[in-house]
Amino acid sequence: MNSSPASPLIDQAADLAQEALEYVMAHGLVRYRKDGSIGHLPFTLYPWEAPKGFYEHGRRVSPLYNKLYLRVSQQRDFLDEHLAASREVDDFVKGLYSCLPEKPISRPWLFLSRNDFMPAVTPQGIVPKQVETNLMAASLGYASQRVNAAIRFLYAGTELVKQVVPHRGGSTICKGLALGYKHYARAGQVILFIVPPGEVNAFDQRSMQAELVLEYGIPVVRTTLDELGEQGEIRDGYTCLKGKSAAIAYFRAGYSPDHYTNELAWKGRRLLEHSQTMSIPSVTIQLANTKKIQQVLADQAMLEKFVSPQEAVELLETMVAMAPVDGSMRGGTGRELALAEPENWVLKPSREGGGNNYFGDQMVEQLKKLSKREAEAFILMEAIKQDAFRAVRLVEEKVVDDLCVTEMGHFTYALWDEGKSDPEFEDVEGYLLRTKHVHNREGLVLGGYSFLDTAAVP
Ligand code: ADP
Ligand code: MG
């Protein structure tokens, strides 16, 4: 199972539970429970001891993914060609397309992203393999930096803590937004936060909102797509809400069909897309960020349409095999390969937000049900295999101690002006580390599948 033994300190991790709980409650590592009460987020009592080179490798390659997706987003023909079939069968993709204006509107391209990697066991050793890039609503940055601080506090003075790299994932995304505002906004404009109605992750967003106001003096207005559809208008080219003109609309909603339950929400999205207000992400960036396009790009020749051959090699090194359900690969269709070895594949629709994928028996069942036409809305991805390790964490104030696997997402930002090949500014700093029981397939923290972790980097 695990390759290297954990430090003996792990045996005492449970003793830190009370101190840890009080620290995280004092520092806002909280969420709403289903009944509306407030409790702590599940978090680690002991850092994950990362394999050598894993953290640095993922961090190094992350900005390259932004560059790739920027170029893909700017190629409408490419998106249209590869999403044509999904658009026919998937109403959500169709809905997004319906928001695009006839003629593209000239705006800078701001990326606030999180690149998720797993420590895959491969013949070359343990290397980061990408799960996905999140170009929309990349969240839990503040929660991550708080867990990181909690572990540094709890283990202060030990040898172990010297390896826990301090990070500020939430502040990174916030800084990208603030720099974008400084670069693009006119005097008096605001940033719109587009949130889902009844948001449970409000604390992460409030931290960001407060940092924008207090550190950067930038006014923020929270709204929903429905409200924008009902009350928004375009004035002097920009989306305006209640008399406030918006330089930027930062989406923490809009990635799921559940966020468009009526025509007003679509109206809100169209309004933004038809204005000079810079959406993070714009519809073309969101389309480029679909699982379908991720699958198409997992190929050297395809990557070389957008980046240099050397960059394509670097990207491909961090990718696993992906296939269309009815497309051919390794002498069979994706469907045949996945049915022959269900444990080695994951079936994914072009959806975000977690809980949408099919694994194991459920994947087999779903693959057998899908018609050739319906299968166009899905892709297959090789399952990333990891070594399990022991993890001690606090879940609903109880210590849990068993075998887990993990996933690290590096936070980045970058802005390109229209027509420029080099970014005006970019950075990668901080991460989200989500760890889960070895038998859990999905990775949602707020859905209760996984817990917030932090890394000791050798
Ligand atoms: P979403 O856009 O809904 O977040 P993801 O592609 O990130 O979809 O998948 C959700 C979760 O499923 C991941 O966080 C990970 O835990 C698990 N998962 C996804 N793809 C793979 C894979 N190829 N191998 C192993 N686990 C995976
Ligand atoms: Mg994900």
Side-chain angles (χ1 to χ4, degrees):
M1 275 262 177
N2 195 6
S3 37
S4 59
S7 143
L9 284 174
I10 196 169
D11 292 324
Q12 290 142 43
D15 301 342
L16 300 171
Q18 189 61 28
E19 197 177 352
L21 177 66
E22 286 162 11
Y23 177 91
V24 303
M25 293 305 278
H27 292 82
L29 189 75
V30 293
R31 53 138 181 191
Y32 284 116
R33 295 197 192 92
K34 285 210 173 72
D35 66 3
S37 63
I38 290 172
H40 75 91
L41 277 160
F43 71 100
T44 193
L45 293 173
Y46 182 83
W48 172 58
E49 296 184 48
K52 216 170 172 47
F54 173 78
Y55 164 81
E56 292 84 355
H57 192 164
R59 186 180 148 105
R60 197 168 61 241
V61 75
S62 287
L64 202 47
Y65 275 102
N66 284 340
K67 182 166 157 181
L68 170 68
Y69 277 109
L70 167 82
R71 294 183 178 173
V72 173
S73 319
Q74 291 176 336
Q75 290 254 350
R76 250 313 276 282
D77 294 354
F78 180 86
L79 293 177
D80 292 354
E81 180 189 343
H82 294 285
L83 292 174
S86 315
R87 195 172 161 180
E88 290 279 308
V89 289
D90 187 333
D91 285 342
F92 187 51
V93 174
K94 198 163 145 189
L96 289 173
Y97 260 102
S98 77
C99 295
L100 288 169
E102 290 265 303
K103 269 214 207 121
I105 291 178
S106 169
R107 291 169 294 221
W109 301 70
L110 178 56
F111 282 59
L112 303 176
S113 67
R114 202 188 68 224
N115 266 287
D116 294 340
F117 299 94
M118 285 179 161
V121 178
T122 73
Q124 290 75 44
I126 298 177
V127 296
K129 289 289 184 184
Q130 199 207 30
V131 178
E132 62 160 346
T133 296
N134 300 280
L135 297 175
M136 186 163 202
S139 72
L140 290 172
Y142 286 95
S144 307
Q145 72 191 50
R146 285 175 188 144
V147 172
N148 178 268
I151 289 295
R152 286 186 287 118
F153 166 66
L154 294 168
Y155 289 88
T158 65
E159 277 302 303
L160 177 71
V161 86
K162 291 186 187 155
Q163 299 185 343
V164 180
V165 191
H167 78 80
R168 292 169 57 78
S171 296
T172 298
I173 292 292
C174 188
K175 187 170 173 195
L177 199 48
L179 289 173
Y181 179 90
K182 227 169 115 186
H183 183 73
Y184 185 61
R186 296 180 176 180
Q189 284 190 312
V190 302
I191 295 181
L192 292 178
F193 271 34
I194 314 287
V195 300
E199 173 64 304
V200 288
N201 197 14
F203 297 101
D204 202 60
Q205 296 154 12
R206 292 289 184 198
S207 301
M208 187 165 180
Q209 187 178 349
E211 193 164 331
L212 283 170
V213 172
L214 298 174
E215 298 293 321
Y216 299 98
I218 297 172
V220 171
V221 174
R222 276 168 78 92
T223 186
T224 60
L225 281 171
D226 295 35
E227 187 181 48
L228 204 56
E230 197 175 1
Q231 299 182 34
E233 55 182 334
I234 295 181
R235 265 199 234 156
D236 294 335
Y238 291 88
T239 297
C240 285
L241 181 67
K242 299 174 187 159
K244 300 247 163 66
S245 170
I248 298 178
Y250 169 62
F251 279 80
R252 293 295 292 250
Y255 49 81
S256 159
D258 299 347
H259 303 155
Y260 302 86
T261 48
N262 57 51
E263 193 37 44
L264 275 179
W266 283 114
K267 197 174 157 208
R269 188 73 198 259
R270 271 195 291 275
L271 190 74
L272 285 168
E273 207 55 32
H274 283 75
S275 74
Q276 289 294 129
T277 300
M278 177 164 62
S279 285
I280 324 275
S282 66
V283 165
T284 46
I285 295 177
Q286 190 174 352
L287 289 171
N289 197 200
T290 50
K291 305 286 189 284
K292 179 65 203 171
I293 296 294
Q294 184 186 2
Q295 173 255 304
V296 171
L297 290 171
D299 173 86
Q300 177 78 22
M302 259 324 160
L303 288 169
E304 285 186 25
K305 289 181 194 261
F306 301 101
V307 294
S308 73
Q310 177 53 33
E311 289 171 328
V313 169
E314 282 172 47
L315 288 166
L316 212 55
E317 260 174 15
T318 60
M319 294 182 184
V320 291
M322 298 186 79
V325 175
D326 285 307
S328 64
M329 195 196 192
R330 297 179 188 165
T333 64
R335 190 194 301 256
E336 286 161 357
L337 294 171
L339 287 175
E341 295 179 344
E343 286 311 307
N344 291 340
W345 295 90
V346 184
L347 178 67
K348 300 186 169 190
S350 276
R351 288 286 177 275
E352 299 299 320
N356 301 303
N357 300 332
Y358 295 87
F359 301 85
D361 292 346
Q362 279 180 329
M363 178 187 75
V364 170
E365 205 179 298
Q366 181 70 5
L367 276 176
K368 287 183 176 160
K369 266 203 313 227
L370 286 179
S371 70
K372 226 175 157 64
R373 184 180 137 84
E374 288 164 341
E376 295 287 356
F378 290 79
I379 58 103
L380 284 158
M381 180 175 188
E382 191 184 335
I384 304 168
K385 298 290 169 65
Q386 297 191 43
D387 278 337
F389 56 92
R390 182 179 164 199
V392 186
R393 65 270 193 193
L394 205 65
V395 182
E396 286 289 328
E397 304 189 18
K398 298 226 165 38
V399 176
V400 184
D401 179 346
D402 56 20
L403 288 179
C404 287
V405 290
T406 197
E407 179 170 350
M408 181 180 274
H410 295 270
F411 289 103
T412 79
Y413 61 75
L415 181 140
W416 287 265
D417 274 323
E418 184 84 24
K420 294 270 181 70
S421 58
D422 290 324
E424 290 300 303
F425 52 82
E426 74 175 325
D427 198 11
V428 44
E429 205 279 316
Y431 60 82
L432 166 67
L433 189 67
R434 279 175 300 175
T435 301
K436 60 184 179 178
H437 185 265
V438 62
H439 293 137
N440 266 357
R441 315 275 203 165
E442 276 285 343
L444 276 183
V445 173
L446 289 156
Y449 295 102
S450 65
F451 59 95
L452 294 157
D453 203 346
T454 209
V457 178

